[in-house]
Amino acid sequence: MRSIMCGIAGLIAPRPIFAETGWAMADALAHRGPDDRGLWTSDDGHVALGHRRLAILDLSSAGHQPMTSFDERYVTVYNGEIYNFRSLRRDLETAGAAPAWRGHSDTEVLLAAIAHWGFADTLARLEGMFAIALWDKAERRLSLARDRFGEKPLYYGWTAAGFAFGSELKALTVLPGFDNPIDPAALRVMLGRGYIPAPLSIYRGIFKLEPGTWMSITTDAAQSHRRSAPTLESSDGLTIQRYYDHADVVAAGAAQPFSSYDAAKQAVGDSLAGAIEKQLVADVGVGAFLSGGIDSSLITALAARASDTPVKTFTLGFREADFDEAGYARRVAAHLGTDHYEHYVGAEDALAVIPSLAQIYDEPFADSSQIPTHLVSHIARAHVTVALSGDAGDELFGGYNRHRYFPSLWRKFAPLPLPVRQAGNAIGGPALAGLWVAAARVRGARRPRQLGERLRTALAIFARSRDFDGMVGLFLDHWSLGEDPVAADYDRSSIPPLAIDPALRHLPLETGMMALDASSYLPGDILCKVDRAAMAVSLETRVPFLDPHVAAAAARMPAAMQFDRRGGKRVLRDLLGEHVPRDLFERPKAGFAIPVGEWLRGPLRYWAEDLLSVAALGECGLLNPAPIRQRWQRHLSGHSDATEALWPVLMFQAWNRAR
């Protein structure tokens, strides 16, 4: 088998495309695929498909891309890993639809499957992570698709050179005459959430294909420039359809819940073990990220059980004791017998990475754990080419505090009239937050000031919320309570709302919140962060929790099964307890945070001051300096921790200066 993690790019142009243009698009993605490159152009020269390859399985040239189908109708460039391609190949052979196979690549199976079942039906059968571009010579139509949860990125849109697509924006911005302006709506949502959700991108006219969807566009439609994102529609030669909807899976699971917790635990354990066995297959080194938390420890434990040799594990530690969890990972690794590597970092390491973040992420992105994620990927790449990740455990199994506390608070206090809540917060909110900080200090809690700040914010938001979705949207927007940091006019309706899917309104709020995070925060933040950080050093990451069988099993667990007195992820805790002593992982969730707020007051202050000066904030004409400066001064004084609001501003400023 030959699997290809890579970068893909392409262009439909009104005039013949110079080969140099096609190669420039592909080579802009060389970090995603350093092992090989390829370019295909149509006979008339108006269509080009480019590819960069990172070889994972079958390191020969048997599956070079772009690849043409056996009947020569289709040409594809494909980025990803189809884990069930062997069974698809057998199904094609049984149906008498298999061509005379030229090799053992999943790309060849993909093309044969499309030729037999069609594009949409093939997508529904795929298990894996992928971004696919398919040119149909007969219909002169380009089809694009993205995997169920958005593990692999795919941008598309209209530029001065024509209709273009690519794994990253840099494949589009190298096009001659690229001049798409910044979209202030995308900027506003990034400043609030820290990421730009699909279908938006930082540039007008350029969009992200949403997870679980596919689109097709004719050459005529490609010439009709669009400023706003196409919706799920079929008109004028452009079609966008959804082949996977996580809300539907959650609703179906809720309609057929597990009869007992033991049955749920067995199903989740079996499906996760099966996913890991499939994802360990490679002709290059495979390792695992290990933070010492529940998710990564469980992935590592199951990988260690399935592997014939010790699994290589990688951990990043921080010199600031309050943020360091490397010791937990070290103990888990020792218990499981992994070949363990750890590396400690400080502010100087962050400073060294920051200048490259704009290049790595292509558009403003502001989850500060992007820094340690990139650093641990760099460490892992020195030893392996593939790393298993514990991401998505939180979204599927209730791992965030908001999954429990928001529904609980809403049910208790929503019956209070809005004016009563507003008056109560105005009178007692600050005092209650102060008591909370004092109690947290007595208990020895980590970062008590931050806990108090979050409580004050939560009380203020609750006092303003007319419904549950409104509360969630305000909480997840770090600029929701103050003056707008964006000065330019923008279309608020173009910003994807944070709201529970209507198909899930009849289910417990906990279930709706988990599904919301799985469809928004997971692809927009978590998966984007890991993909860009890892691919920047040519490291493939695999996410076993996103196997469709694991996701379906999680959906069949009622909220009452997902949570217990310890919090969420009950089933993952219990599964891990079968492999690792509980005292190695039973502790409050910390995440992969870095002390960026402290660093901004110390070693990163000069860098931040340069970007947050009144002059710097006014350079692009899009930002409102006054509220940003106010938050910066309060942060420096120690009166509040504004890290989550300021880091997106800093990332936008650094990106805008570097582009």
Side-chain angles (χ1 to χ4, degrees), residues 268-269 271-277 279-280 286-291 293-307 311-313 332 336 338 387-393 397 542-547 550 572 575-576 579-580:
V268 172
S271 60
L272 187 57
I276 289 171
E277 287 182 8
Q279 296 187 26
L280 281 174
V286 179
F289 295 142
L290 178 61
S291 69
I294 294 169
D295 304 336
S296 66
S297 296
L298 179 56
I299 295 297
T300 300
L302 294 176
R305 187 181 69 177
S307 177
V311 174
K312 295 182 185 297
T313 51
V332 171
L336 295 174
T338 70
L388 302 184
S389 163
D391 292 308
F397 295 96
R542 299 177 180 177
V543 188
F545 279 118
L546 291 182
D547 181 278
V550 177
L572 302 187
L575 286 169
L576 180 57
H579 303 275
V580 174

Side-chain angles (χ1 to χ4, degrees), residues 299-573:
I299 295 297
T300 300
L302 294 176
R305 187 181 69 177
S307 177
D308 295 331
T309 58
V311 174
K312 295 182 185 297
T313 51
F314 307 95
T315 297
L316 204 66
F318 302 102
R319 299 192 182 103
E320 288 79 359
D322 283 351
F323 291 82
D324 182 43
E325 296 207 316
Y328 297 111
R330 191 183 312 122
R331 293 169 64 194
V332 171
H335 180 81
L336 295 174
T338 70
D339 185 6
H340 191 60
Y341 301 84
E342 65 180 40
H343 180 69
Y344 277 81
V345 299
E348 68 277 10
D349 300 284
L351 276 169
V353 171
I354 284 171
S356 63
L357 291 177
Q359 174 70 10
I360 291 172
Y361 285 90
D362 257 355
E363 65 181 351
F365 180 81
D367 182 333
S368 61
S369 63
Q370 63 199 115
I371 294 174
T373 302
H374 177 64
L375 290 170
V376 76
S377 297
H378 185 77
I379 296 164
R381 187 61 179 91
H383 304 277
V384 298
T385 309
V386 177
L388 302 184
S389 163
D391 292 308
D394 288 314
E395 289 79 7
L396 296 182
F397 295 96
Y400 298 129
N401 288 334
R402 60 179 177 261
H403 295 158
R404 273 199 313 162
Y405 294 143
F406 273 30
S408 177
L409 287 171
W410 186 255
R411 281 191 286 263
K412 289 177 181 177
F413 299 109
L416 291 174
L418 190 62
V420 174
R421 283 188 266 135
Q422 291 172 337
N425 178 64
I427 296 170
L432 181 59
L435 289 173
W436 182 270
V437 171
R441 283 176 174 152
V442 170
R443 296 195 308 268
R446 297 165 69 178
R447 304 187 287 280
R449 183 186 292 273
Q450 187 174 356
L451 292 175
E453 183 74 16
R454 290 189 174 185
L455 179 59
R456 282 191 292 271
T457 299
L459 291 171
I461 287 172
F462 192 78
R464 293 179 54 178
S465 302
R466 298 184 180 277
D467 55 32
F468 184 74
D469 285 339
M471 183 181 75
V472 172
L474 289 172
F475 179 80
L476 297 180
D477 182 345
H478 303 304
W479 288 92
S480 62
L481 298 180
E483 189 178 353
D484 197 327
V486 173
D489 292 333
Y490 59 91
D491 180 8
R492 294 178 183 273
S493 67
S494 69
I495 297 176
L498 287 171
I500 292 175
D501 193 287
L504 306 179
R505 297 284 182 190
H506 64 292
L507 298 177
L509 292 175
E510 291 86 349
T511 301
M513 277 216 66
M514 287 188 285
L516 173 61
D517 275 333
S519 62
S520 56
Y521 181 65
L522 177 65
D525 186 306
I526 301 299
L527 297 178
C528 172
K529 173 186 68 180
V530 175
D531 174 81
R532 305 303 196 282
M535 292 308 297
V537 294
S538 302
L539 177 75
E540 175 190 326
T541 53
R542 299 177 180 177
V543 188
F545 279 118
L546 291 182
D547 181 278
H549 303 289
V550 177
R556 294 184 61 194
M557 294 188 66
M561 283 188 187
Q562 294 274 26
F563 303 91
D564 62 12
R565 60 178 178 79
R566 301 166 297 177
K569 299 198 287 195
R570 174 189 176 190
V571 69
L572 302 187
R573 292 173 186 269

